[in-house]
C-alpha cells in the first residue's frame, strides 16, 4: 500500500485565491512527521512546512498552512493568496518513527498552475 | 556556496561509460541521501548515510555505488547503466537529532540520460 497518496495530479488556481492540495498517509506508527515540499521547474526541492504527529496545532509558515486531520490521516496543504511563483510541483512526505534518520516516503506530487 | 550543491547538472552517458555524480552540503548536517526521481513516480530513496555510515540501501542495483568520504560530500558512482536509469538524481541532507523535526534540504539534481 502507498504510504503517501496525492490524488490530484494537476490543479489550477486564480492568482490571489487560496488553494488546497490533498495528502493522505498510511502508518501504524504513533510517531511520525509530515512534510510538504515544492519543486519548481528548476528541479530543486524546497521545504515548505512540517507537522509532527503529536503537535496540537496546525502548522503555519507564512502563506502556507497545513490542515492536519489525524483521525482521517490527512495533511492537506493550504496556500493562501496564490502568486504566479507558486506554480510548481508539490510533494507531500512522511517520516515514520521518532528517529529522525528514518526513511522518508514521498507522494507522486501535484502540479499547481497559478493563472494570472 | 550555500545549501546543497550537485554536479554535474546534466549528464548524458552511454551504457558502457563510467561516471560519478557529486553532492556537497554546506549546512553542517550529519546525514546525506540519494534519491531517484522518475516521471509519474514517487521519489525513490536509494541510499542513506548517517554520520558517514551507510544505513539504508533500498535494493538498488550494484551498477550504482555510493561513496561518502566525509559528512559534507557524497558521490554516486555509475557504471554499465541501462536506459531505464535515466532520471533526475537528487541529493539531500538533514540533521539527525533526538527530536522529531528533520526536514531534508535538497540539491538541484543531476538530470541523467542513458543512451
Amino acid at each position: 500500500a502507498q504510504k503517501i497518496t496525492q490524488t490530484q495530479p494537476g490543479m489550477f488556481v486564480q492568482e490571489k485565491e487560496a488553494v488546497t492540495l490533498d495528502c493522505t498517509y498510511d502508518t501504524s506508527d504513533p510517531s511520525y512527521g509530515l512534510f510538504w515540499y515544492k519543486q519548481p521547474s528548476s528541479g530543486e526541492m524546497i521545504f515548505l512546512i512540517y507537522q509532527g504527529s503529536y503537535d496540537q496545532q496546525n502548522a503555519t509558515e507564512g502563506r502556507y498552512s497545513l490542515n492536519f486531520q489525524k483521525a482521517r490521516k490527512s495533511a492537506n496543504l493550504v496556500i493562501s493568496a496564490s502568486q504566479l511563483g507558486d506554480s510548481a510541483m508539490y510533494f507531500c512526505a512522511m517520516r515514520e518513527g521518532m528517529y529522525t534518520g528514518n526513511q522518508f516516503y514521498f507522494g507522486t506530487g501535484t502540479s499547481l498552475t497559478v493563472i494570472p | 556556496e550555500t545549501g546543497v550543491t550537485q554536479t554535474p547538472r546534466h549528464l548524458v552517458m552511454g551504457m558502457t561509460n563510467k561516471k560519478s555524480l557529486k553532492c556537497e552540503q554546506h549546512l553542517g548536517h550529519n546525514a546525506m541521501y540519494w534519491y531517484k526521481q522518475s516521471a509519474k513516480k514517487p521519489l525513490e530513496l536509494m541510499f542513506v548515510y548517517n554520520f558517514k555510515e551507510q544505513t539504508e540501501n533500498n535494493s538498488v542495483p550494484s551498477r550504482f555505488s555510493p561513496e561518502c568520504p566525509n559528512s559534507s560530500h557524497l558521490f554516486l558512482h555509475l557504471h554499465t547503466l541501462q536506459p531505464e536509469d535515466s532520471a533526475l538524481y537528487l541529493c539531500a541532507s538533514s540533521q539527525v537529532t533526538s527530536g522529531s523535526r528533520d526536514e531534508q534540504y535538497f540539491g538541484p539534481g543531476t538530470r541523467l540520460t542513458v543512451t
Side-chain angles (χ1 to χ4, degrees), chain B residues 63-79:
Chain B
R63 56 185 184 269
F64 295 93
S65 172
E67 178 190 0
C68 187
N70 55 61
S71 58
S72 299
H73 294 85
L74 185 64
F75 294 90
L76 187 62
H77 303 300
L78 317 170
H79 64 98

Side-chain angles (χ1 to χ4, degrees), chain B residues 3 9 11 15 20 40 43 46 48 52 59 67-68 83-84 87:
Chain B
R9 294 293 309 275
L11 178 62
M15 289 190 284
S20 295
K40 310 285 188 198
L43 263 70
M46 300 176 72
V48 179
K52 298 186 296 178
S59 303
E67 178 190 0
C68 187
E84 60 264 28

Side-chain angles (χ1 to χ4, degrees), chain B residues 10-80:
Chain B
H10 300 272
L11 178 62
V12 179
M13 60 187 288
M15 289 190 284
T16 58
N17 290 159
K18 288 184 180 182
K19 296 286 184 182
S20 295
L21 309 184
K22 178 183 176 182
C23 176
E24 184 174 358
Q25 60 98 359
H26 308 269
L27 300 167
H29 289 164
N30 56 16
M32 297 186 76
Y33 312 78
W34 278 118
Y35 286 91
K36 175 183 179 183
Q37 186 177 28
S38 305
K40 310 285 188 198
K41 294 175 69 176
L43 263 70
E44 302 172 51
L45 180 66
M46 300 176 72
F47 301 102
V48 179
Y49 279 84
N50 282 340
F51 305 97
K52 298 186 296 178
E53 298 295 324
Q54 185 176 312
T55 58
E56 293 272 354
N57 175 353
N58 292 304
S59 303
V60 178
S62 59
R63 56 185 184 269
F64 295 93
S65 172
E67 178 190 0
C68 187
N70 55 61
S71 58
S72 299
H73 294 85
L74 185 64
F75 294 90
L76 187 62
H77 303 300
L78 317 170
H79 64 98
T80 58

Side-chain angles (χ1 to χ4, degrees), chain A residues 35-102:
Chain A
F35 304 76
W36 275 93
Y37 285 85
K38 171 184 177 181
Q39 187 178 38
S41 56
S42 59
E44 184 172 350
M45 299 276 279
I46 302 166
F47 166 73
L48 296 178
I49 196 166
Y50 165 83
Q51 180 85 43
S53 60
Y54 295 117
D55 292 345
Q56 297 295 314
Q57 307 267 7
N58 284 346
T60 60
E61 292 281 352
R63 293 187 298 111
Y64 304 107
S65 61
L66 202 151
N67 184 0
F68 181 45
Q69 298 188 46
K70 198 168 182 177
R72 294 185 177 184
K73 293 189 176 178
S74 75
N76 299 339
L77 177 70
V78 180
I79 305 175
S80 63
S82 298
Q83 302 172 357
L84 296 178
D86 294 334
S87 294
M89 285 290 293
Y90 288 81
F91 293 91
C92 181
M94 175 179 67
R95 189 251 309 123
E96 288 180 311
M98 284 299 292
Y99 176 52
T100 62
N102 289 351

